[in-house]
Amino acid sequence: MTNPCPCGLPEPYADCCGRFHRGDQHAPTAERLMRSRYCAFAVGEPDYLLDTWHPDTRPKRLRLDPAQEWTRLEILGQTGGSLLQNEGTVEFRAHYRYQGRDDSQHENSRFVREGGRWYYVDAR
């Protein structure tokens, strides 16, 4: 893919979130993990979503609806979550199209870093 990554950053998918989805690297910050998780919804990578979900809150399985098209991500704010921190939040709005209707999901997600890896915990 040479188009910009679905996460909203200008790099091609393979060089951006694709490297996290393939397991070549782990997301270095809470924001990058959040972007890569949004991208996993957009490109249909449920295994990545489960793998990056904290074990304490992870569902047993996850089914993505192929009829839901994720169209755009807006990062609205964040706290913590840097290379030197172990907790953080990312507030975002994820836009999608479903059954011919445009809509969005607004969320403030919480992340923790354990064993050098960031994990999604829950949303507020």
Side-chain angles (χ1 to χ4, degrees), residues 57-77:
T57 57
R58 177 188 307 142
K60 292 190 188 308
R61 61 189 153 273
L62 180 65
R63 183 176 112 24
L64 302 181
D65 187 340
Q68 189 166 17
E69 177 189 359
W70 295 93
T71 58
R72 184 168 55 97
L73 175 65
E74 290 178 86
I75 303 295
L76 304 174

Side-chain angles (χ1 to χ4, degrees), residues 42-63:
V43 301
E45 290 283 347
D47 291 342
Y48 179 79
L49 291 165
L50 290 171
D51 188 48
T52 57
W53 209 313
H54 194 277
D56 291 348
T57 57
R58 177 188 307 142
K60 292 190 188 308
R61 61 189 153 273
L62 180 65
R63 183 176 112 24

